[in-house]
């Protein structure tokens, strides 16, 4: 099993001399949220799809993604489970993932999704909050009762505040993984159903974003860095080159997409080698910086170390045109690219 170990730290922001309240970021090792699901997927024969879905899913626990992206990710996890003989373990773990607390940039509760899930197995599920979150105020300063503060399908605030079906007694300790506390998602039987609610427009296809530097910037960063302390820079030539790789349609015929995939992965890896943590980027895009997995948050990259012996790399997809960005061993990355017929190692 391959996975990334992404460490995001809770950072306290000092109070001002005028006595402003102290705010802190509440975060977690987000990769831990899908480790058990990925292991179950591997055991069920999911192959390379397991790591791709796992990486795409745990990224939704960052502060930047929208309120429904975690639920959409859980839907994707269940979609894959249903292609693997309705694997019950994968479905149970996806239900628990859907309830994992998300990172809070301001020690406030994180808003709930306001649309129905695609799979009936996720009906009635919503994320817990961390104990350090302010349970009476949601991100953006929204008081309980306001938009996004009551889970979809409910008419009253969550009680106890901060709880979820898998942990009905209240919020969980900061940085804790719900899957380490319980194997019961709180919804009874986890037998797979072919029913869908039709509430989500997302698909089960995992689309991995590539790095596309932009000129935008923001004050939000999951690493807690103050963007005013340094000025991110990016070369227009570099931005155009990466954008071209990210958006290019494979030039070869469908019968030879594997070679195109390998060459596109090499181009991305070559471009990643020119990036730094201060490179500008487009919100939500992923990249590799100094062998670490990176996600764009607030216009700059949040870098998150891969596990021991692993590197971040763009890899060619096997069964369709495209690439993915994930953590793997250097030997595995080289082997996958070489298997496509592309010459020149990681960067061509």
């Amino acid at each position: 099993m391959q996975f990334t170990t992404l460490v995001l730290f809770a950072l306290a922001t000092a109070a001002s001399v005028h006595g402003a309240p102290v705010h802190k970021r509440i975060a977690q090792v987000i990769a831990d949220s899908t480790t058990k699901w990925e292991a179950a997927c591997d055991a069920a024969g999911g192959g390379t799809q397991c790591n791709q879905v796992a990486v795409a899913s745990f990224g939704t626990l960052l502060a930047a993604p929208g309120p429904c992206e975690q639920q959409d990710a859980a839907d994707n996890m269940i979609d894959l489970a249903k292609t693997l003989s309705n694997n019950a373990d994968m479905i149970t773990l996806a239900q628990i993932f859907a309830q994992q607390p998300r990172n809070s940039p301001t020690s406030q509760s994180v808003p709930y999704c306001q649309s129905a899930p695609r799979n009936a197995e996720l009906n009635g599920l919503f994320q817990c909050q961390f104990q350090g979150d302010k349970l009476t105020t949601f991100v953006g300063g929204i008081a309980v009762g306001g938009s996004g503060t009551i889970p979809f399908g409910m008419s009253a605030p969550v009680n106890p505040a901060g709880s979820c079906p898998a942990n009905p007694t209240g919020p969980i300790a900061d940085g804790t993984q719900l899957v380490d506390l319980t194997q019961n998602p709180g919804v009874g039987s986890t037998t797979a159903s072919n029913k869908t609610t039709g509430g989500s427009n997302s698909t089960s296809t995992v689309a991995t974003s590539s790095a596309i530097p932009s000129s935008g910037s923001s004050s939000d960063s999951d690493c807690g860095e103050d963007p005013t302390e340094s000025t991110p820079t990016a070369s227009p030539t570099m931005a155009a080159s990466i954008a071209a790789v990210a958006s290019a349609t494979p030039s070869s015929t469908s019968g030879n997409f594997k070679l195109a995939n390998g060459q596109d992965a090499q181009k991305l890896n070559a471009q990643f080698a020119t990036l730094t943590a201060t490179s500008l980027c487009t919100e939500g895009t992923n990249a590799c910086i100094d062998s670490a997995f990176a996600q764009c948050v607030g216009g700059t990259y949040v870098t998150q170390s891969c596990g021991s012996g692993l590197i971040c790399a763009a890899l060619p997809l096997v069964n369709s045109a495209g690439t993915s960005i994930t953590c793997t061993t250097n030997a595995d990355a080289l082997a996958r690219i070489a298997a496509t017929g592309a010459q020149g190692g990681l960067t061509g």
Side-chain angles (χ1 to χ4, degrees), residues 135-305:
L135 300 179
T136 57
T137 307
F138 283 70
V139 173
I142 303 173
V144 174
S147 176
T149 66
I150 298 175
F152 178 80
M154 294 176 58
S155 58
V158 174
N159 185 25
S163 66
C164 61
N167 195 72
T169 59
I172 68 174
D174 294 357
T176 301
Q177 292 301 315
L178 187 59
V179 71
D180 293 334
L181 301 179
T182 183
Q183 295 297 300
N184 180 2
V187 293
S189 173
T190 58
T191 301
S193 166
N194 290 322
K195 296 180 180 178
T196 60
T197 63
S200 171
N201 293 324
S202 65
T203 67
S204 60
T205 301
V206 179
T208 304
S209 302
S210 299
I212 306 176
S214 73
S215 59
S217 63
S218 169
S219 60
D220 184 30
S221 167
D222 245 13
C223 276
E225 297 176 353
D226 184 351
T228 64
E229 294 179 354
S230 62
T231 303
T233 58
S235 162
T237 302
M238 177 182 70
S241 180
I242 293 178
V245 174
S247 61
T249 299
S251 57
S252 58
T253 63
S254 59
N256 195 34
F257 66 79
K258 290 185 178 180
L259 175 59
N261 288 354
Q263 293 170 337
D264 286 344
Q266 289 176 320
K267 292 176 184 177
L268 283 174
N269 288 325
Q271 295 298 331
F272 292 160
T274 69
L275 297 178
T276 69
T278 57
S279 296
L280 296 180
C281 55
T282 298
E283 188 79 15
T285 56
N286 298 330
C288 298
I289 297 177
D290 293 331
S291 295
F293 186 90
Q295 185 174 57
C296 185
V297 178
T300 56
Y301 284 113
V302 176
T303 58
Q304 301 150 356
S305 176

Side-chain angles (χ1 to χ4, degrees), residues 40-91:
C41 181
D42 287 336
T48 58
Q49 296 179 88
C50 299
N51 182 251
Q52 293 170 10
V53 173
V55 171
S57 296
F58 66 61
T60 66
L61 299 179
L62 294 169
C68 289
E69 292 188 40
Q70 178 181 1
Q71 177 177 280
D72 291 344
D75 267 320
N76 291 340
M77 296 163 80
I78 289 179
D79 286 344
L80 181 53
K82 289 181 177 180
T83 69
L84 299 171
S85 302
N86 290 330
N87 187 273
D89 288 340
M90 291 173 65
I91 292 173

